[in-house]
Amino acid sequence: MTKPAACADTPFNILVNENGLLFNRLKLVAEQVHHQGEMSGGLRAILRLLDETGAQTVPQMSRARAVSRQHVQALINELVADGYLELADNPAHKRSPFVQLTKQGKQAVDAMNRREQKLHLKMRQEVPDAELLAAARTLRAVRAMFESEQWRRLAKSLK
């Protein structure tokens, strides 16, 4: 009789554990690459999101990042105070202005991208682009599954 695999040995748990370890390591790497203490990962993520998508409202950003509006608003407030973001009128909603990059914010994103490109060029001999892209596809597929209606139904059945 075959002994059932321990929970920690399942492919799902191996992925979850590795993802947690990688997340923590990437936080450390980001602090090293982006000069520890200069700007938190959450602040950099907001700047990067707005650079990629253009102006958005706080509720749009909170949905995109799957975090609370209050958390996003606190980050926005800090970035506005530091001159990286500005608020613009939203004709569709009087109480939810658009948030957009300032010139200083765009320069900060460009500097982040240059530092990360430098890191990428140095590390690609150890981890080729094809492997990075395959890992990203796998993570995207797992995330999409957890964002699906099928998952919502399954999650309800687990209670």
Side-chain angles (χ1 to χ4, degrees), residues 39-59:
M39 188 181 291
S40 74
L43 297 172
R44 288 192 308 272
I46 292 291
L47 292 176
R48 182 165 278 128
L49 175 65
L50 291 170
D51 185 55
E52 292 171 1
T53 63
Q56 289 194 23
T57 64
V58 169

Side-chain angles (χ1 to χ4, degrees), residues 64-99:
R65 299 202 55 229
V67 295
S68 73
R69 286 190 312 262
Q70 294 83 357
H71 176 69
V72 171
Q73 186 65 62
L75 296 172
I76 298 301
N77 292 346
E78 185 174 341
L79 289 165
V80 167
D82 290 342
Y84 294 104
L85 299 179
E86 61 189 4
L87 305 179
D89 288 338
N90 178 355
H93 199 287
K94 299 293 180 209
R95 291 179 40 198
S96 189
F98 283 117
V99 181

Side-chain angles (χ1 to χ4, degrees), residues 23-133:
F23 174 79
N24 290 324
R25 178 55 58 180
L26 285 174
K27 281 177 50 177
L28 177 61
V29 168
E31 288 175 2
Q32 294 166 333
V33 169
H34 297 298
H35 314 295
Q36 185 171 6
E38 184 176 286
M39 188 181 291
S40 74
L43 297 172
R44 288 192 308 272
I46 292 291
L47 292 176
R48 182 165 278 128
L49 175 65
L50 291 170
D51 185 55
E52 292 171 1
T53 63
Q56 289 194 23
T57 64
V58 169
Q60 288 171 325
M61 286 184 273
S62 67
R63 284 190 297 274
R65 299 202 55 229
V67 295
S68 73
R69 286 190 312 262
Q70 294 83 357
H71 176 69
V72 171
Q73 186 65 62
L75 296 172
I76 298 301
N77 292 346
E78 185 174 341
L79 289 165
V80 167
D82 290 342
Y84 294 104
L85 299 179
E86 61 189 4
L87 305 179
D89 288 338
N90 178 355
H93 199 287
K94 299 293 180 209
R95 291 179 40 198
S96 189
F98 283 117
V99 181
Q100 58 193 22
L101 291 173
T102 61
K103 183 178 178 182
Q104 180 182 345
K106 177 64 175 155
Q107 290 170 341
V109 172
D110 291 345
M112 287 188 297
N113 290 339
R114 283 191 301 276
R115 288 189 294 266
E116 290 173 9
Q117 180 65 18
K118 188 175 178 181
L119 170 64
H120 174 234
L121 291 173
K122 291 186 181 290
M123 69 174 273
R124 69 193 309 185
Q125 290 176 312
E126 298 296 321
V127 184
D129 287 351
E131 289 185 36
L132 291 174
L133 292 171

